[in-house]
Amino acid sequence: MTELLQKVRVIDPVSEIDELFDVLIADGYIREVASHISDISSDTQIRDCQGLVLGPGLVDLYSHSGEPGFEERETLLSLLQSAAAGGFTRVSILPDTSPAIDNPALVAQLQQKKAEGQRGRGAEENLSPLLPCSPAPLLHLWGAITLDVAGKQMTELADLASAGVVGFTDGKPLENLALVRGVLEYLQPLGKPVAFWPSDRQLAANGVMREGTDALRFGLPPIPASAETTAIAAMLELVATIGTPVHIMRVSTARSVELIASAKAAGLPITASTTWMHLLLDTKAVKSYHTSLHLDPPLGKPSDVVALRAGVRAGVIDAIAIDHTPYSYEEKVQAFAEAPPGAIGLELALPLLWQYLVETEEFTALELWRALSINPAECLGQKVSAILPHQPAELTLFDPQQTWKVERKSLYTLSQNTPWLGQQLQGRVVKTWC
């Protein structure tokens, strides 16, 4: 199919462009980008894109899949569908599946499923009509650092690297610093990204909410900010000693932003990410006791949100991760402190971030798109192509004004654990080219 997008707002953080263009797409490639395109074939599909935004496909650094082990939460197919509906053309799943992604055999098995999904075919039926794009988004696999992501015994990292994992992480805190040091030394020659979630679980204890007056007011067990900052400080010391590049996941406090800024200024090879919900909500939102607001790390104070937003704009925090964490209805219908932490987000992140950061003019469109596309790709050691002729069409078309209601029938994901369930949102992805 040949498509002509007329008068679309092209947001390209690769080329630093935010302008109106006509864009011609054919056979999976961008054929022409110009102020006006008139020389087209008779079978070209023409779309009037006034008011719409076209940017590089979004890249999610880390999210959770239910499959294998918890398919009632999410399957690989529903994950791909949800990602495409949210504008994501690449998604990287964490290894905490059941069984964990800690051996080459499971990597090969999941890659086979991934290949079937990306061809638009399942084992029993042609699934392509269900996908919001064709082919499906690229699905990358993080390999586990430790066996069964238990934090005790190192996996065969070299074998996993040869099997094709995108990088290494447990997606859980690793408190054995001797093990962390050994991992950093071992991974140096492999050239694969490694990501850590620094959190001192002894300091966090049984807490479920950021320590402060709101935690006291709501009667919920607190987690001090130092549970994160002390672990980040220890991680930075190891990086300074060994020199292996490291990605720091799930940054959630103002002090963490300061520590990372200082480390980058000193030349340490680190990148960092926060999650989209930590940029939008703070502890005051927990007043509703909605269990989808039980996150780990917990939502920060208003001052943390201000610092995180400033950190993203300044490039101290490189990327915005979605950390999509699906749970069944039964798992989340518990008391706030008893419900497992996490929320879905692949279909919701772009509309909400655009509405509350770009529409309010706190972020430019380029700043937001950069943190959701080229920067997370770079953290994975990948590149995103500019929106230029002869480049692959890995693109997201977004309508900032389209309204829709978040409900079961409007979501591709199997789970509904989000505080925005039942609410009307403004902004939705129109189409994704993968």
Side-chain angles (χ1 to χ4, degrees):
M1 180 185 295
T2 301
E3 300 173 82
L4 176 61
L5 310 182
Q6 291 184 322
K7 302 306 177 190
V8 67
R9 180 183 174 186
V10 174
I11 296 174
D12 182 5
V14 180
S15 303
E16 293 291 327
I17 288 173
D18 184 352
E19 298 179 35
L20 291 179
F21 287 106
D22 285 2
V23 180
L24 186 66
I25 302 170
D27 302 322
Y29 282 84
I30 300 167
R31 297 303 180 186
E32 189 175 355
V33 179
S35 57
H36 179 67
I37 299 174
S38 57
D39 185 14
I40 57 174
S41 60
S42 59
D43 62 345
T44 298
Q45 179 179 330
I46 300 174
R47 184 196 290 265
D48 181 0
C49 291
Q50 292 190 60
L52 304 188
V53 169
L54 182 72
L58 306 184
V59 179
D60 185 30
L61 264 178
Y62 43 87
S63 281
H64 299 261
S65 172
E67 187 178 3
F70 297 96
E71 284 81 0
E72 70 279 5
R73 296 175 181 169
E74 193 81 278
T75 64
L76 290 179
L77 174 61
S78 66
L79 183 77
L80 292 172
Q81 292 173 323
S82 181
F88 289 87
T89 56
R90 307 180 201 179
V91 181
S92 302
I93 64 168
L94 293 166
D96 58 344
T97 50
S98 183
I101 306 173
D102 61 2
N103 64 86
L106 185 57
V107 172
Q109 177 185 335
L110 293 177
Q111 284 175 334
Q112 177 62 33
K113 281 182 171 286
K114 175 184 71 172
E116 291 171 354
Q118 286 166 187
R119 288 195 301 268
R121 298 192 62 85
E124 300 177 358
E125 59 179 336
N126 187 338
L127 299 171
S128 57
L130 300 176
L131 292 169
C133 68
S134 182
L138 288 171
L139 185 67
H140 299 292
L141 308 175
W142 283 98
I145 292 174
T146 65
L147 291 175
D148 202 29
V149 294
K152 299 184 183 298
Q153 183 179 346
M154 199 185 308
T155 58
E156 295 294 338
L157 300 174
D159 291 346
L160 284 170
S162 298
V165 297
V166 73
F168 297 97
T169 186
D170 272 6
K172 298 180 178 181
L174 278 177
E175 294 195 74
N176 184 338
L177 291 180
L179 176 62
V180 173
R181 180 187 172 99
V183 168
L184 293 180
E185 291 174 336
Y186 192 90
L187 284 178
Q188 258 189 343
L190 297 184
K192 291 277 187 179
V194 58
F196 293 97
W197 173 23
S199 178
D200 188 315
R201 303 320 273 178
Q202 289 184 317
L203 284 174
N206 65 339
V208 296
M209 182 179 175
R210 175 72 70 234
E211 184 178 69
T213 55
D214 285 333
L216 289 171
R217 186 178 299 116
F218 304 150
L220 293 171
I223 298 177
S226 57
E228 177 172 295
T229 57
T230 55
I232 287 179
M235 176 63 65
L236 294 176
E237 284 297 312
L238 289 177
V239 173
T241 301
I242 300 168
T244 304
V246 160
H247 180 80
I248 298 175
M249 308 167 66
R250 302 188 178 115
V251 177
S252 70
T253 76
R255 177 58 181 152
S256 299
V257 177
E258 292 177 359
L259 290 170
I260 293 166
S262 297
K264 285 190 169 185
L268 265 63
I270 58 169
T271 55
S273 59
T274 189
T275 82
W276 71 286
M277 287 184 67
H278 287 87
L279 292 173
L280 294 179
L281 301 173
D282 59 42
T283 53
K284 298 187 185 307
V286 181
K287 181 180 181 180
S288 68
Y289 293 97
H290 197 298
T291 55
S292 293
L293 295 172
H294 178 191
L295 305 177
D296 199 3
L299 292 171
K301 299 176 182 179
S303 58
D304 294 318
V305 175
V306 170
L308 289 170
R309 291 181 178 183
V312 172
R313 293 194 65 197
V316 174
I317 304 299
D318 299 86
I320 301 171
I322 307 306
D323 208 6
H324 176 84
T325 309
Y327 282 107
S328 67
Y329 175 81
E330 292 76 16
E331 288 173 300
K332 275 292 191 177
V333 181
Q334 301 187 54
F336 187 92
E338 302 301 320
I344 61 171
L346 286 169
E347 296 171 65
L348 306 174
L350 178 58
L352 285 161
L353 289 168
W354 186 279
Q355 182 177 346
Y356 288 102
L357 298 182
V358 177
E359 293 287 355
T360 60
E361 299 184 351
E362 184 172 349
F363 276 50
T364 68
L366 279 171
E367 286 171 338
L368 177 62
W369 220 277
R370 182 182 297 111
L372 286 169
S373 61
I374 64 172
N375 283 6
E378 288 176 357
C379 292
L380 292 169
Q382 302 171 357
K383 295 292 183 183
V384 169
S385 300
I387 302 178
L388 293 172
H390 314 301
Q391 295 297 326
E394 186 179 352
L395 303 165
T396 295
L397 186 64
F398 175 64
D399 184 351
Q401 302 306 317
Q402 183 177 332
T403 58
W404 60 291
K405 190 174 183 180
V406 182
E407 51 188 350
R408 172 66 269 154
K409 63 182 180 182
S410 66
L411 294 171
Y412 283 90
T413 180
L414 298 182
S415 298
Q416 303 176 53
N417 53 307
T418 172
W420 284 279
L421 190 67
Q423 295 188 27
Q424 200 84 9
L425 297 191
Q426 180 174 308
R428 195 162 202 191
V429 170
V430 176
K431 185 171 182 177
T432 307
W433 291 263
C434 295

